[in-house]
Amino acid sequence: TRNPEPRQPPHEDTPTLTSICHVVFEQYPADSRVRRYVNCALAAGHTVNVVCLKGDSDRAFERHGNLRIFRIPGRKRRGSFASRILEYAYFEVLSALTVSSIKLTLGIDICHVHTLPDFLVFSCTLPKLVGSRILLDFHELFPEFMAQHRPSAEHGPMNWLLKQQERLSAWLSDHVIAFHDPAAEILRSRIAESRPITVVMNGVDTTELPRVTRRSSPTFKIVYNGTISANLNLSMVPRAIGVLGERRPELAARTEFHLYGDGPDLNHILSVAKKLGVSKQVNYHGRFPFAEMMKELSDASVCILPPRKDIYSELYYSLKLTEMIHFRIPVIATRLRTYQYYYPDDCILYFESENVDQLVKQIELVHDDPDLMARMTDRAWSAAARIGWPIMVQRYLQIIESLSR
């Protein structure tokens, strides 16, 4: 027998095919960020596993070609801090067992762990010990997240503890992804650049979008689509419609607020509208499938994003914002750090947090000056294109390639 010829190392331009395992405390494919990672990895020829929460109508296991989905029963209830930690711990234990089993039976090259919680990364300890690399993807910053819900925690022992687990989680990983540049700056200051950090922002994947043509609405249609929670302060919109009714009754009479999604603050918003006498102008539609939702937005006059300004909301970068910009829908938003980082005042109409009078003036401007809105939406579209999903896909695949080698 002759000796086999030595294997040649791969050419530097030849991507290494990899087995990736996503771990996320969320349902899949409902989580758009994870879904887009999975789609681009599959398109590049990689094998992908997803360990996630199981919804009521989801199957525990699915396989579609090179994609396997392992779902863990559980719910994300958004309760107290203690209940959140219990939910996280429950999922941590079961995901650790699932990921370890996948590693030992099918093989995993890279564990891609999505926060929150940061310490979910420790569910991949066994794969790490036997050769897998870990990619830690920060969707949010845990200390700022908790400071919003418990302001007293911003400088107390809990804040210190959350920063320590953030550092430990980053220490276990091989590479860190931040959800935008301001978040990356904060992470670099807190984990002392102990791990390489790459910014990969969520964005609009045009391959997922239905063909939608913008059309005019017979009314002045204000829209919001997504989670309806108290920190997003959506009751500002019926309050603004009420003030508009005093200033310009003819405009207020043809103004409608269309609300899509679900969340714990819905009843509060509807009660505010009823109290102010604008219930007929506030229309709640529930949650729509993605393709139908995009068609619903085709005749929107403006989207309003009015969150209260605090340590956490300053880091907001909503996918809803990028979707509105993609469809060239004018946006009125609270003046927040991250929004302004990417979109200056000639792209978005800003108002100061909780200032109803400023919000009403911006609503009037959208209605009265369509030419200005056309110029602003064009500039916003150009700004978004510079940080669009096609660019982020290349960044992500470069990370996968570097970790594979």
Side-chain angles (χ1 to χ4, degrees):
T1 60
R2 63 184 182 87
N3 292 329
E5 294 183 6
R7 303 175 86 185
Q8 296 298 318
H11 190 275
E12 285 210 4
D13 295 331
T14 303
T16 304
L17 298 185
T18 303
S19 175
I20 305 166
C21 183
H22 291 269
V23 187
V24 57
F25 183 66
E26 188 56 87
Q27 294 178 27
Y28 178 88
D31 189 298
S32 62
R33 185 176 176 91
V34 178
R35 184 177 69 245
R36 292 183 176 117
Y37 280 131
V38 169
N39 289 344
C40 76
L42 291 173
H46 302 299
T47 299
V48 181
N49 302 288
V50 179
V51 177
C52 60
L53 282 175
K54 181 181 180 299
D56 292 337
S57 59
D58 294 332
R59 284 183 286 176
F61 174 77
E62 288 185 56
R63 180 171 184 176
H64 307 278
N66 286 340
L67 170 64
R68 300 182 188 89
I69 307 170
F70 302 82
R71 295 189 174 96
I72 295 172
R75 289 193 176 183
K76 198 173 182 180
R77 292 183 174 86
R78 296 187 176 94
S80 65
F81 177 72
S83 65
R84 285 175 187 266
I85 294 299
L86 288 174
E87 289 174 358
Y88 292 154
Y90 162 82
F91 185 80
E92 173 104 17
V93 171
L94 294 186
S95 63
L97 294 172
T98 306
V99 174
S100 299
S101 176
I102 297 170
K103 171 64 179 179
L104 296 175
T105 57
L106 302 172
I108 298 171
D109 299 311
I110 298 171
C111 295
H112 186 158
V113 183
H114 303 266
T115 71
L116 295 173
D118 307 344
F119 55 79
L120 185 56
V121 72
F122 289 95
S123 66
C124 301
T125 301
L126 187 146
K128 171 83 171 181
L129 291 174
V130 292
S132 297
R133 310 297 293 277
I134 295 181
L135 175 58
L136 179 58
D137 193 332
F138 284 92
H139 292 208
E140 300 180 86
L141 300 184
F142 211 166
E144 283 74 10
F145 174 80
M146 286 310 306
Q148 183 190 51
H149 295 277
R150 296 181 65 177
S152 61
E154 184 176 346
H155 302 291
M158 184 185 296
N159 183 270
W160 179 87
L161 183 63
L162 290 174
K163 288 180 179 178
Q164 294 308 308
Q165 63 86 38
E166 184 180 75
R167 291 191 188 97
L168 284 172
S169 300
W171 170 80
L172 186 66
S173 68
D174 297 282
H175 199 108
V176 168
I177 287 178
F179 53 101
H180 54 51
D181 293 277
E185 293 170 9
I186 293 172
L187 284 171
R188 289 190 183 100
S189 70
R190 292 212 289 243
I191 64 177
E193 300 188 11
S194 60
R195 292 293 180 270
I197 299 176
T198 301
V199 173
V200 179
M201 301 171 66
N202 201 1
V204 175
D205 184 355
T206 55
T207 63
E208 293 184 342
L209 295 178
R211 291 189 176 184
V212 176
T213 303
R214 286 280 281 146
R215 54 193 176 91
S216 60
S217 171
T219 62
F220 186 72
K221 184 177 179 180
I222 301 170
V223 297
Y224 172 81
N225 166 42
T227 302
I228 304 171
S229 56
N231 56 303
L232 297 176
N233 203 22
L234 291 164
S235 61
M236 280 278 289
V237 181
R239 288 163 58 195
I241 295 174
V243 174
L244 191 64
E246 298 172 2
R247 295 183 184 177
R248 295 178 60 175
E250 77 291 344
L251 173 56
R254 55 186 300 270
T255 298
E256 296 178 350
F257 179 31
H258 292 262
L259 191 57
Y260 305 87
D262 53 46
D265 202 45
L266 174 63
N267 290 335
H268 171 66
I269 296 166
L270 297 178
S271 68
V272 169
K274 183 177 181 180
K275 182 178 179 180
L276 296 174
V278 297
S279 293
K280 292 182 179 180
Q281 292 155 281
V282 177
N283 302 276
Y284 175 61
H285 302 277
R287 185 173 291 278
F288 279 32
F290 180 73
E292 291 182 33
M293 187 65 250
M294 295 302 101
K295 293 176 182 177
E296 283 286 312
L297 297 176
S298 63
D299 64 345
S301 304
V302 63
C303 171
I304 298 180
L305 302 172
R308 295 184 184 89
K309 189 171 185 175
D310 56 39
I311 188 173
Y312 179 67
S313 65
E314 285 275 49
L315 296 173
Y316 279 175
Y317 187 79
S318 169
L319 179 61
K320 309 308 172 188
L321 173 65
T322 59
E323 289 172 349
M324 300 300 167
I325 290 172
H326 177 80
F327 287 114
R328 287 180 165 82
I329 298 170
V331 175
I332 302 174
T334 305
R335 189 179 295 277
L336 298 176
R337 173 188 176 188
T338 302
Y339 287 172
Q340 288 191 286
Y341 186 95
Y342 296 106
Y343 304 103
D345 287 16
D346 62 353
C347 296
I348 290 177
L349 291 171
Y350 291 110
F351 67 97
E352 298 303 326
S353 177
E354 296 280 9
N355 193 320
V356 177
D357 286 337
Q358 285 188 10
L359 174 56
V360 171
K361 289 178 181 177
Q362 300 295 45
I363 292 173
E364 291 176 315
L365 183 58
V366 173
H367 176 269
D368 296 341
D369 199 340
D371 291 337
L372 173 62
M373 293 306 103
R375 294 193 297 272
M376 292 187 75
T377 54
D378 284 345
R379 286 191 289 265
W381 194 94
S382 298
R386 292 192 288 270
I387 50 172
W389 184 242
I391 295 169
M392 300 302 152
V393 165
Q394 296 307 311
R395 291 185 188 179
Y396 177 62
L397 293 178
Q398 287 169 6
I399 296 169
I400 294 301
E401 181 65 15
S402 67
L403 291 177
S404 299
R405 292 181 176 176

